[in-house]
């Protein structure tokens, strides 16, 4: 199995390099929103001294860390697989003796992340020089402790993306479902604003949803802002959601494959 993953990595890595302009576009697109949010909140924090206890430096460190975490936990499965289901080319993948999502689609995601980070890191360093964040609260231990959260966040995000993509077996409107899910993610993951700035009702709901594992929880662990009991609760909630979405994905894939058909030479 390791040889299969190695070969898929080599293939997908080479394929990513063939679409360098597309990769650059996606990377720059991912930069726009966080940088705009950062500029707005810095302006507000500087004029008021702080916003709900968050200083300008808190916003700088949060959004700069968000840029990295977002790349690591994001998922693009729908753009890799949905069209194959709709045009029937998935049939070629089904002939292989491996699961197409847990092999080729997964490796494609990882290769995309690797190259995206290569584009992002130089830009991120420029932003660090411009905004001069104070990361003194973060430690090597907090960064290492956040790695499982990032891995769990990506696993949940990947399974959600795969489950939504499998809806293409039933409907051609799968991209609309994906857009709605993205809106929920933006609201509840801490991408739009840190969750502590959201209304108390949204914060109360968000702490039991999977979305905060995509961004907010890993960021706050890195920045050393969460007490141990909250981290333990968030890991437990994430683990529960991982099991739920894994079971849901397995069901949608199994039932979707029963409906799938393709015509052609």
């Amino acid at each position: 199995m390791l040889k299969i993953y190695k070969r898929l990595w080599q293939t997908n890595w080479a394929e990513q390099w063939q679409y360098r302009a597309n990769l650059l576009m996606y990377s720059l697109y991912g930069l726009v929103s966080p940088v705009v949010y950062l500029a707005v909140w810095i302006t507000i924090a500087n004029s008021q001294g702080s916003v709900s206890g968050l200083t300008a430096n808190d916003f700088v460190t949060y959004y700069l860390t968000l840029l990295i975490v977002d790349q690591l936990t994001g998922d693009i499965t729908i753009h890799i697989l949905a069209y194959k289901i709709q045009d029937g080319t998935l049939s070629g993948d089904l002939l292989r003796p491996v699961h197409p999502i847990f092999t080729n689609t997964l490796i494609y995601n990882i290769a995309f992340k690797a190259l995206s980070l290569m584009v992002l890191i130089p830009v991120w360093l420029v932003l660090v020089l411009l905004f001069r964040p104070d990361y003194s609260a973060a430690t090597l231990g907090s960064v290492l402790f956040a790695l499982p959260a990032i891995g769990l966040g990506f696993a949940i995000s990947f399974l959600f993306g795969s489950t939504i993509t499998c809806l293409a077996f039933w409907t051609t409107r799968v991209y609309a479902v994906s857009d709605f899910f993205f809106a929920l993610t933006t609201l509840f993951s801490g991408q739009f604003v840190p969750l502590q700035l959201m209304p108390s009702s949204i914060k109360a709901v968000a702490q039991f949803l999977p979305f905060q594992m995509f961004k907010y929880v890993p960021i706050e662990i890195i920045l050393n802002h969460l007490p141990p009991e909250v981290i333990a609760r968030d890991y437990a909630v994430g683990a529960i959601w991982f099991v739920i979405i894994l079971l849901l994905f397995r069901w949608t894939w199994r039932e979707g494959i029963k409906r799938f058909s393709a015509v052609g030479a």
Side-chain angles (χ1 to χ4, degrees), residues 77-96:
T77 296
I78 192 167
H79 302 294
I80 305 170
L81 199 64
Y83 76 91
K84 290 186 175 183
I85 298 174
Q86 293 172 340
D87 65 16
T89 53
L90 177 65
S91 57
D93 294 341
L94 296 177
L95 294 175
R96 300 172 181 174

Side-chain angles (χ1 to χ4, degrees), residues 2 9-10 17 26 46 48 53 102 138 143 159 163-164 190 192 199 213 232:
L2 290 177
W9 169 261
Q10 293 170 341
W17 279 103
Y26 272 110
N46 284 331
Q48 299 182 1
F102 289 135
V143 174
L159 288 172
T163 302
I164 292 172
F192 181 53
M213 292 302 299

Side-chain angles (χ1 to χ4, degrees), residues 31 59 68 81 101 125 128 134 233 248 258:
L31 282 169
F59 286 110
I68 302 295
L81 199 64
I101 291 183
L125 292 175
V128 168
D134 179 8
R233 181 204 65 195
L248 182 59
K258 294 177 182 177

Side-chain angles (χ1 to χ4, degrees), residues 185-224:
T185 300
T186 302
L187 178 63
F188 290 109
S189 71
Q191 179 174 339
F192 181 53
V193 294
L195 288 180
Q196 56 262 49
L197 296 183
M198 300 295 283
S200 57
S201 57
I202 293 181
K203 287 191 292 186
V205 173
Q207 65 182 344
F208 296 108
L209 294 177
F211 306 107
Q212 63 172 357
M213 292 302 299
F214 300 168
K215 298 173 180 68
Y216 179 76
V217 170
I219 293 170
E220 292 295 283
I221 293 177
I222 290 172
L223 299 178
N224 223 357

